[in-house]
Structures are given as structure tokens and as C-alpha cells.
Amino acid sequence: LPIVWLNNESKKERILKRSIQSALGYTNSELMKQQSAGTLIEEYNAHMGVGKLKVYDIHGWDVGRVEELLEAVGDVALVVFDMLDNVKFPGVRNDARTDQILEQMYQWGRELSVRIDAPVMATSQVSREGCGMQFPEQHMLKDSKIGKQGACDAIIMVGKSEDPMLEHSRFISTPKNKLAIEGVPSLRDEVLFDKDKGIYSEH
């Protein structure tokens, strides 16, 4: 089954390029070399499977149009919203606060997951108070207060320190995880990030 990436933040071509780069572990120069040789897509399909990742631009779309697209696509392994915050949600009161609107959006995303019988993942930025923190708290999701958090089964945070000595480190945590396995502690770990290849790895 395919992974469906719903994009309203960047360009589709950029997402596909980065995905190929991360999957194959190539730098930009290595990627261009394989592309010039005409072997890049064949190599990627051999590694990932043909049609495994489907990226759709949904800039300016509302939830109804998104649902129509997913119905047309059919069964999926995973849906990624980048970003769910930017999808339009008709019928919202004019006086509704941003956090109230986002709470409705994330509740819709959770209900969508049940209807399509597949996990739904939504990316989000952190607020200013979480910038530069290794392990931001769940209330630091941008514009949310507690709205997004209440609608999520799990929250995975990627933190970054302002210490220049930790430039290549990222800090992964799960400040909320209703899917946790009994006896297994919440994730809180430091990993290395290779920005040239878009790859996280353990020390």
C-alpha cells in the first residue's frame, strides 16, 4: 500500500527529491550523478517499491476536497499532512480562536484515520518558547495551547539545541504517547542528523 503525502508547505518536486535522497543515502552531488546516468528512479523503485510514495499538492484545499482525493486513491498505508494547520475548514465561526480551530482540525484528522483505517500523521512547528530546546513539551506546539494535543494519540518531537557543539544532534521525544507498550518508557534520545542526506542515525 502507498504512503500518501499531502503537501501545502513546499513544492512537490522538493519533497520527492529529498525523499529519494534520504531513502538512498545520497548527497546532492551523488543524487545529480545518478540522475545524469539515468539510473536514479530505477534504483529508488528497487529500494522502496514502485509507487510507494505518492505526493499531492493541496495548497488552498479544504477538508472536503482532501477526503475526495483519499477516496479516489483507495487503501493506503499512511497519510502525512504537511501541514494540517493550513487545510481550510469550512463552517468555523468568525469569532473562533486559532487554538479552537486547530483542535477541530486535528479531531477531524483523527476521525479521518478511523474512516480510512490507516494512521494519519500531521507535521507541526513548535512555538517560540520551544525553539532551541532539546526536548520541547507538548504544550509548545504552535498556536495550539492544548487543542492539537488533545486530539493526538501520540506526539513525536524533534528538538535542536542552540549549542554550536551540538549542530549535528537532534533530540527525539514522545511527550504524549497513548500507543506506548506497557513497561516501555517514553522515548527521549539524542540522534545524529546528516543534513546533506536527510538521515537520522544513532550514535
Side-chain angles (χ1 to χ4, degrees):
L1 296 178
I3 297 169
V4 172
W5 186 296
L6 302 176
N7 162 56
N8 56 18
E9 269 284 291
S10 184
K11 291 184 177 181
K12 177 180 178 179
E13 293 76 16
R14 183 179 178 185
I15 293 170
L16 287 170
K17 176 186 174 183
R18 192 62 161 168
S19 298
I20 294 172
Q21 189 176 33
S22 298
L24 299 178
Y26 285 153
T27 62
N28 273 326
S29 58
E30 292 169 339
L31 192 75
M32 296 301 293
K33 181 180 179 180
Q34 295 303 108
Q35 191 170 26
S36 298
T39 61
L40 183 63
I41 300 303
E42 181 180 350
E43 186 178 355
Y44 176 71
N45 286 338
H47 183 79
M48 290 288 292
V50 177
K52 188 64 176 179
L53 176 65
K54 297 181 181 292
V55 180
Y56 297 92
D57 287 331
I58 61 166
H59 300 84
W61 286 27
D62 63 19
V63 293
R65 194 171 175 187
V66 169
E67 289 183 355
E68 289 175 0
L69 170 64
L70 292 176
E71 184 176 349
V73 172
D75 293 337
V76 299
L78 170 69
V79 175
V80 178
F81 281 94
D82 187 18
M83 297 173 54
L84 180 56
D85 298 26
N86 295 338
V87 178
K88 298 185 183 302
F89 199 76
V92 175
R93 299 193 326 268
N94 292 332
D95 61 344
R97 300 193 313 266
T98 300
D99 61 295
Q100 293 173 326
I101 297 172
L102 289 174
E103 183 174 11
Q104 291 183 59
M105 289 294 304
Y106 279 69
Q107 286 175 345
W108 169 81
R110 184 173 185 170
E111 292 168 1
L112 176 67
S113 175
V114 174
R115 293 202 304 272
I116 66 175
D117 193 23
V120 170
M121 179 182 295
T123 65
S124 175
Q125 297 175 339
V126 297
S127 61
R128 182 177 299 178
E129 63 179 329
C131 291
M133 289 186 62
Q134 295 181 2
F135 300 107
E137 299 295 330
Q138 61 173 296
H139 71 272
M140 295 175 182
L141 294 177
K142 188 175 183 292
D143 295 328
S144 175
K145 296 186 178 179
I146 60 171
K148 296 178 184 178
Q149 298 86 329
C152 295
D153 285 328
I155 298 173
I156 303 172
M157 289 283 195
V158 181
K160 182 181 184 298
S161 173
E162 294 180 340
D163 185 343
M165 297 296 292
L166 298 174
E167 178 184 357
H168 301 292
S169 291
R170 296 296 183 271
F171 301 87
I172 313 296
S173 61
T174 51
K176 178 179 180 180
N177 188 5
K178 294 174 67 175
L179 309 175
I181 300 173
E182 184 177 351
V184 178
S186 297
L187 177 64
R188 197 177 175 90
D189 200 6
E190 179 182 357
V191 297
L192 294 177
F193 178 58
D194 187 334
K195 64 180 180 181
D196 291 331
K197 298 179 180 180
I199 294 175
Y200 293 96
S201 62
E202 296 182 328
H203 282 274

mmCIF file of all heavy atoms in Angstrom, residues 65-99:
data_model
loop_
_atom_site.group_PDB
_atom_site.id
_atom_site.type_symbol
_atom_site.label_atom_id
_atom_site.label_comp_id
_atom_site.label_asym_id
_atom_site.label_seq_id
_atom_site.Cartn_x
_atom_site.Cartn_y
_atom_site.Cartn_z
ATOM 1 N N ARG A 65 -12.333 18.451 -0.124
ATOM 2 C CA ARG A 65 -11.543 18.084 -1.305
ATOM 3 C C ARG A 65 -10.484 17.055 -0.945
ATOM 4 O O ARG A 65 -10.181 16.158 -1.739
ATOM 5 C CB ARG A 65 -10.898 19.342 -1.893
ATOM 6 C CG ARG A 65 -10.332 19.152 -3.286
ATOM 7 C CD ARG A 65 -9.910 20.476 -3.885
ATOM 8 N NE ARG A 65 -9.268 20.280 -5.174
ATOM 9 C CZ ARG A 65 -8.674 21.241 -5.861
ATOM 10 N NH1 ARG A 65 -8.648 22.487 -5.366
ATOM 11 N NH2 ARG A 65 -8.090 20.993 -7.022
ATOM 12 N N VAL A 66 -9.921 17.163 0.243
ATOM 13 C CA VAL A 66 -8.941 16.176 0.707
ATOM 14 C C VAL A 66 -9.589 14.799 0.828
ATOM 15 O O VAL A 66 -9.025 13.788 0.392
ATOM 16 C CB VAL A 66 -8.335 16.599 2.065
ATOM 17 C CG1 VAL A 66 -7.525 15.450 2.674
ATOM 18 C CG2 VAL A 66 -7.457 17.832 1.897
ATOM 19 N N GLU A 67 -10.784 14.754 1.385
ATOM 20 C CA GLU A 67 -11.488 13.473 1.537
ATOM 21 C C GLU A 67 -11.796 12.858 0.177
ATOM 22 O O GLU A 67 -11.704 11.634 0.005
ATOM 23 C CB GLU A 67 -12.768 13.682 2.345
ATOM 24 C CG GLU A 67 -12.511 13.969 3.823
ATOM 25 C CD GLU A 67 -13.800 14.110 4.615
ATOM 26 O OE1 GLU A 67 -14.884 14.073 4.001
ATOM 27 O OE2 GLU A 67 -13.713 14.251 5.848
ATOM 28 N N GLU A 68 -12.160 13.689 -0.793
ATOM 29 C CA GLU A 68 -12.427 13.189 -2.146
ATOM 30 C C GLU A 68 -11.173 12.573 -2.761
ATOM 31 O O GLU A 68 -11.234 11.529 -3.423
ATOM 32 C CB GLU A 68 -12.940 14.323 -3.029
ATOM 33 C CG GLU A 68 -14.346 14.787 -2.681
ATOM 34 C CD GLU A 68 -14.781 16.000 -3.506
ATOM 35 O OE1 GLU A 68 -13.967 16.465 -4.352
ATOM 36 O OE2 GLU A 68 -15.912 16.477 -3.317
ATOM 37 N N LEU A 69 -10.033 13.224 -2.547
ATOM 38 C CA LEU A 69 -8.774 12.690 -3.069
ATOM 39 C C LEU A 69 -8.453 11.338 -2.454
ATOM 40 O O LEU A 69 -8.113 10.382 -3.169
ATOM 41 C CB LEU A 69 -7.632 13.675 -2.784
ATOM 42 C CG LEU A 69 -6.214 13.149 -3.056
ATOM 43 C CD1 LEU A 69 -6.032 12.850 -4.538
ATOM 44 C CD2 LEU A 69 -5.168 14.124 -2.562
ATOM 45 N N LEU A 70 -8.565 11.233 -1.136
ATOM 46 C CA LEU A 70 -8.229 9.982 -0.461
ATOM 47 C C LEU A 70 -9.184 8.862 -0.856
ATOM 48 O O LEU A 70 -8.783 7.698 -0.958
ATOM 49 C CB LEU A 70 -8.239 10.185 1.052
ATOM 50 C CG LEU A 70 -7.125 11.101 1.599
ATOM 51 C CD1 LEU A 70 -7.298 11.312 3.096
ATOM 52 C CD2 LEU A 70 -5.752 10.511 1.305
ATOM 53 N N GLU A 71 -10.425 9.209 -1.096
ATOM 54 C CA GLU A 71 -11.387 8.203 -1.568
ATOM 55 C C GLU A 71 -10.989 7.690 -2.941
ATOM 56 O O GLU A 71 -11.094 6.499 -3.229
ATOM 57 C CB GLU A 71 -12.796 8.811 -1.615
ATOM 58 C CG GLU A 71 -13.866 7.807 -1.996
ATOM 59 C CD GLU A 71 -15.267 8.397 -1.952
ATOM 60 O OE1 GLU A 71 -15.428 9.520 -1.423
ATOM 61 O OE2 GLU A 71 -16.207 7.738 -2.448
ATOM 62 N N ALA A 72 -10.499 8.604 -3.799
ATOM 63 C CA ALA A 72 -10.069 8.209 -5.143
ATOM 64 C C ALA A 72 -8.798 7.362 -5.105
ATOM 65 O O ALA A 72 -8.633 6.434 -5.910
ATOM 66 C CB ALA A 72 -9.840 9.458 -6.001
ATOM 67 N N VAL A 73 -7.914 7.652 -4.173
ATOM 68 C CA VAL A 73 -6.666 6.900 -4.056
ATOM 69 C C VAL A 73 -6.921 5.473 -3.584
ATOM 70 O O VAL A 73 -6.307 4.521 -4.045
ATOM 71 C CB VAL A 73 -5.687 7.608 -3.088
ATOM 72 C CG1 VAL A 73 -4.472 6.730 -2.803
ATOM 73 C CG2 VAL A 73 -5.250 8.947 -3.660
ATOM 74 N N GLY A 74 -7.871 5.312 -2.647
ATOM 75 C CA GLY A 74 -8.181 3.984 -2.122
ATOM 76 C C GLY A 74 -7.362 3.646 -0.892
ATOM 77 O O GLY A 74 -6.959 4.530 -0.138
ATOM 78 N N ASP A 75 -7.083 2.372 -0.674
ATOM 79 C CA ASP A 75 -6.380 1.927 0.521
ATOM 80 C C ASP A 75 -4.957 2.494 0.568
ATOM 81 O O ASP A 75 -4.253 2.518 -0.453
ATOM 82 C CB ASP A 75 -6.312 0.402 0.564
ATOM 83 C CG ASP A 75 -7.689 -0.232 0.759
ATOM 84 O OD1 ASP A 75 -8.581 0.468 1.275
ATOM 85 O OD2 ASP A 75 -7.854 -1.412 0.395
ATOM 86 N N VAL A 76 -4.559 2.930 1.743
ATOM 87 C CA VAL A 76 -3.223 3.500 1.927
ATOM 88 C C VAL A 76 -2.584 2.925 3.184
ATOM 89 O O VAL A 76 -3.272 2.421 4.078
ATOM 90 C CB VAL A 76 -3.274 5.048 2.037
ATOM 91 C CG1 VAL A 76 -3.840 5.660 0.760
ATOM 92 C CG2 VAL A 76 -4.089 5.487 3.252
ATOM 93 N N ALA A 77 -1.254 3.028 3.262
ATOM 94 C CA ALA A 77 -0.537 2.577 4.451
ATOM 95 C C ALA A 77 -0.434 3.685 5.489
ATOM 96 O O ALA A 77 -0.430 3.429 6.690
ATOM 97 C CB ALA A 77 0.864 2.096 4.069
ATOM 98 N N LEU A 78 -0.356 4.935 5.016
ATOM 99 C CA LEU A 78 -0.152 6.081 5.894
ATOM 100 C C LEU A 78 -0.499 7.352 5.140
ATOM 101 O O LEU A 78 -0.248 7.451 3.938
ATOM 102 C CB LEU A 78 1.318 6.140 6.348
ATOM 103 C CG LEU A 78 1.795 7.395 7.093
ATOM 104 C CD1 LEU A 78 1.160 7.476 8.474
ATOM 105 C CD2 LEU A 78 3.320 7.400 7.202
ATOM 106 N N VAL A 79 -1.089 8.323 5.843
ATOM 107 C CA VAL A 79 -1.338 9.651 5.279
ATOM 108 C C VAL A 79 -0.544 10.669 6.088
ATOM 109 O O VAL A 79 -0.641 10.702 7.312
ATOM 110 C CB VAL A 79 -2.840 10.016 5.303
ATOM 111 C CG1 VAL A 79 -3.051 11.463 4.830
ATOM 112 C CG2 VAL A 79 -3.636 9.060 4.428
ATOM 113 N N VAL A 80 0.255 11.481 5.402
ATOM 114 C CA VAL A 80 1.047 12.529 6.045
ATOM 115 C C VAL A 80 0.516 13.888 5.588
ATOM 116 O O VAL A 80 0.455 14.161 4.392
ATOM 117 C CB VAL A 80 2.537 12.412 5.675
ATOM 118 C CG1 VAL A 80 3.331 13.552 6.317
ATOM 119 C CG2 VAL A 80 3.093 11.063 6.086
ATOM 120 N N PHE A 81 0.125 14.724 6.550
ATOM 121 C CA PHE A 81 -0.277 16.098 6.264
ATOM 122 C C PHE A 81 0.886 17.027 6.566
ATOM 123 O O PHE A 81 1.343 17.119 7.704
ATOM 124 C CB PHE A 81 -1.468 16.516 7.139
ATOM 125 C CG PHE A 81 -2.791 16.015 6.661
ATOM 126 C CD1 PHE A 81 -3.309 14.834 7.166
ATOM 127 C CD2 PHE A 81 -3.525 16.725 5.723
ATOM 128 C CE1 PHE A 81 -4.543 14.368 6.747
ATOM 129 C CE2 PHE A 81 -4.760 16.266 5.303
ATOM 130 C CZ PHE A 81 -5.274 15.085 5.806
ATOM 131 N N ASP A 82 1.348 17.740 5.551
ATOM 132 C CA ASP A 82 2.416 18.709 5.745
ATOM 133 C C ASP A 82 1.993 20.049 5.113
ATOM 134 O O ASP A 82 2.296 20.320 3.981
ATOM 135 C CB ASP A 82 3.699 18.203 5.080
ATOM 136 C CG ASP A 82 4.905 19.079 5.378
ATOM 137 O OD1 ASP A 82 4.862 19.861 6.340
ATOM 138 O OD2 ASP A 82 5.893 18.993 4.631
ATOM 139 N N MET A 83 1.232 20.895 5.814
ATOM 140 C CA MET A 83 0.837 20.802 7.210
ATOM 141 C C MET A 83 -0.695 20.796 7.304
ATOM 142 O O MET A 83 -1.360 21.494 6.529
ATOM 143 C CB MET A 83 1.366 21.994 7.997
ATOM 144 C CG MET A 83 2.870 22.104 8.072
ATOM 145 S SD MET A 83 3.423 23.644 8.837
ATOM 146 C CE MET A 83 2.562 23.642 10.407
ATOM 147 N N LEU A 84 -1.212 20.082 8.282
ATOM 148 C CA LEU A 84 -2.650 20.030 8.502
ATOM 149 C C LEU A 84 -3.205 21.397 8.899
ATOM 150 O O LEU A 84 -4.341 21.731 8.560
ATOM 151 C CB LEU A 84 -2.973 18.995 9.585
ATOM 152 C CG LEU A 84 -4.451 18.798 9.945
ATOM 153 C CD1 LEU A 84 -5.274 18.445 8.716
ATOM 154 C CD2 LEU A 84 -4.600 17.723 11.010
ATOM 155 N N ASP A 85 -2.397 22.197 9.578
ATOM 156 C CA ASP A 85 -2.846 23.521 10.027
ATOM 157 C C ASP A 85 -3.320 24.394 8.869
ATOM 158 O O ASP A 85 -4.143 25.296 9.052
ATOM 159 C CB ASP A 85 -1.708 24.264 10.742
ATOM 160 C CG ASP A 85 -1.241 23.556 11.997
ATOM 161 O OD1 ASP A 85 -1.403 22.323 12.074
ATOM 162 O OD2 ASP A 85 -0.698 24.217 12.888
ATOM 163 N N ASN A 86 -2.795 24.167 7.659
ATOM 164 C CA ASN A 86 -3.090 25.021 6.517
ATOM 165 C C ASN A 86 -4.278 24.554 5.686
ATOM 166 O O ASN A 86 -4.672 25.235 4.735
ATOM 167 C CB ASN A 86 -1.857 25.124 5.607
ATOM 168 C CG ASN A 86 -0.700 25.823 6.294
ATOM 169 O OD1 ASN A 86 -0.886 26.570 7.244
ATOM 170 N ND2 ASN A 86 0.511 25.574 5.828
ATOM 171 N N VAL A 87 -4.838 23.384 6.002
ATOM 172 C CA VAL A 87 -6.030 22.922 5.291
ATOM 173 C C VAL A 87 -7.227 23.752 5.747
ATOM 174 O O VAL A 87 -7.382 24.031 6.934
ATOM 175 C CB VAL A 87 -6.278 21.418 5.560
ATOM 176 C CG1 VAL A 87 -7.556 20.952 4.859
ATOM 177 C CG2 VAL A 87 -5.089 20.592 5.101
ATOM 178 N N LYS A 88 -8.062 24.153 4.815
ATOM 179 C CA LYS A 88 -9.212 25.001 5.149
ATOM 180 C C LYS A 88 -10.323 24.154 5.759
ATOM 181 O O LYS A 88 -10.579 23.025 5.330
ATOM 182 C CB LYS A 88 -9.703 25.729 3.901
ATOM 183 C CG LYS A 88 -8.655 26.662 3.302
ATOM 184 C CD LYS A 88 -9.208 27.449 2.137
ATOM 185 C CE LYS A 88 -8.130 28.316 1.502
ATOM 186 N NZ LYS A 88 -7.532 29.258 2.435
ATOM 187 N N PHE A 89 -10.986 24.723 6.744
ATOM 188 C CA PHE A 89 -12.029 24.017 7.487
ATOM 189 C C PHE A 89 -13.305 24.852 7.439
ATOM 190 O O PHE A 89 -13.489 25.762 8.259
ATOM 191 C CB PHE A 89 -11.573 23.793 8.930
ATOM 192 C CG PHE A 89 -12.328 22.714 9.652
ATOM 193 C CD1 PHE A 89 -12.076 21.387 9.389
ATOM 194 C CD2 PHE A 89 -13.289 23.025 10.604
ATOM 195 C CE1 PHE A 89 -12.755 20.385 10.059
ATOM 196 C CE2 PHE A 89 -13.988 22.034 11.278
ATOM 197 C CZ PHE A 89 -13.718 20.704 11.002
ATOM 198 N N PRO A 90 -14.205 24.600 6.467
ATOM 199 C CA PRO A 90 -15.417 25.416 6.322
ATOM 200 C C PRO A 90 -16.326 25.315 7.548
ATOM 201 O O PRO A 90 -16.313 24.335 8.285
ATOM 202 C CB PRO A 90 -16.102 24.791 5.097
ATOM 203 C CG PRO A 90 -15.033 24.035 4.387
ATOM 204 C CD PRO A 90 -14.107 23.547 5.454
ATOM 205 N N GLY A 91 -17.113 26.350 7.758
ATOM 206 C CA GLY A 91 -18.101 26.334 8.818
ATOM 207 C C GLY A 91 -17.587 26.786 10.162
ATOM 208 O O GLY A 91 -18.324 26.747 11.151
ATOM 209 N N VAL A 92 -16.323 27.225 10.234
ATOM 210 C CA VAL A 92 -15.770 27.696 11.501
ATOM 211 C C VAL A 92 -16.335 29.078 11.819
ATOM 212 O O VAL A 92 -16.443 29.944 10.947
ATOM 213 C CB VAL A 92 -14.229 27.757 11.423
ATOM 214 C CG1 VAL A 92 -13.664 28.361 12.704
ATOM 215 C CG2 VAL A 92 -13.652 26.369 11.193
ATOM 216 N N ARG A 93 -16.715 29.297 13.065
ATOM 217 C CA ARG A 93 -17.237 30.598 13.478
ATOM 218 C C ARG A 93 -16.208 31.699 13.269
ATOM 219 O O ARG A 93 -15.003 31.495 13.463
ATOM 220 C CB ARG A 93 -17.637 30.594 14.951
ATOM 221 C CG ARG A 93 -18.714 29.616 15.323
ATOM 222 C CD ARG A 93 -19.257 29.913 16.732
ATOM 223 N NE ARG A 93 -18.260 30.408 17.640
ATOM 224 C CZ ARG A 93 -17.536 29.638 18.453
ATOM 225 N NH1 ARG A 93 -17.682 28.330 18.430
ATOM 226 N NH2 ARG A 93 -16.661 30.184 19.287
ATOM 227 N N ASN A 94 -16.671 32.873 12.891
ATOM 228 C CA ASN A 94 -15.768 34.000 12.653
ATOM 229 C C ASN A 94 -15.013 34.422 13.907
ATOM 230 O O ASN A 94 -13.910 34.951 13.833
ATOM 231 C CB ASN A 94 -16.546 35.198 12.103
ATOM 232 C CG ASN A 94 -17.082 34.944 10.701
ATOM 233 O OD1 ASN A 94 -16.485 34.169 9.945
ATOM 234 N ND2 ASN A 94 -18.180 35.582 10.353
ATOM 235 N N ASP A 95 -15.634 34.186 15.075
ATOM 236 C CA ASP A 95 -15.005 34.617 16.326
ATOM 237 C C ASP A 95 -14.209 33.496 17.000
ATOM 238 O O ASP A 95 -13.739 33.647 18.129
ATOM 239 C CB ASP A 95 -16.064 35.147 17.301
ATOM 240 C CG ASP A 95 -17.102 34.084 17.683
ATOM 241 O OD1 ASP A 95 -17.179 33.050 16.978
ATOM 242 O OD2 ASP A 95 -17.834 34.292 18.670
ATOM 243 N N ALA A 96 -14.046 32.365 16.305
ATOM 244 C CA ALA A 96 -13.323 31.233 16.895
ATOM 245 C C ALA A 96 -11.839 31.552 17.019
ATOM 246 O O ALA A 96 -11.240 32.139 16.118
ATOM 247 C CB ALA A 96 -13.514 29.981 16.043
ATOM 248 N N ARG A 97 -11.247 31.162 18.151
ATOM 249 C CA ARG A 97 -9.816 31.355 18.352
ATOM 250 C C ARG A 97 -9.026 30.353 17.510
ATOM 251 O O ARG A 97 -9.529 29.280 17.161
ATOM 252 C CB ARG A 97 -9.444 31.181 19.827
ATOM 253 C CG ARG A 97 -10.126 32.139 20.782
ATOM 254 C CD ARG A 97 -9.437 32.087 22.160
ATOM 255 N NE ARG A 97 -9.213 30.729 22.619
ATOM 256 C CZ ARG A 97 -10.036 30.050 23.414
ATOM 257 N NH1 ARG A 97 -11.164 30.604 23.823
ATOM 258 N NH2 ARG A 97 -9.747 28.813 23.797
ATOM 259 N N THR A 98 -7.776 30.699 17.224
ATOM 260 C CA THR A 98 -6.923 29.827 16.412
ATOM 261 C C THR A 98 -6.792 28.443 17.033
ATOM 262 O O THR A 98 -6.877 27.424 16.337
ATOM 263 C CB THR A 98 -5.526 30.443 16.238
ATOM 264 O OG1 THR A 98 -5.649 31.714 15.596
ATOM 265 C CG2 THR A 98 -4.630 29.546 15.381
ATOM 266 N N ASP A 99 -6.614 28.387 18.361
ATOM 267 C CA ASP A 99 -6.440 27.089 19.004
ATOM 268 C C ASP A 99 -7.708 26.245 18.922
ATOM 269 O O ASP A 99 -7.650 25.023 18.814
ATOM 270 C CB ASP A 99 -5.994 27.253 20.459
ATOM 271 C CG ASP A 99 -7.013 28.011 21.298
ATOM 272 O OD1 ASP A 99 -7.229 29.196 21.017
ATOM 273 O OD2 ASP A 99 -7.587 27.410 22.231
#
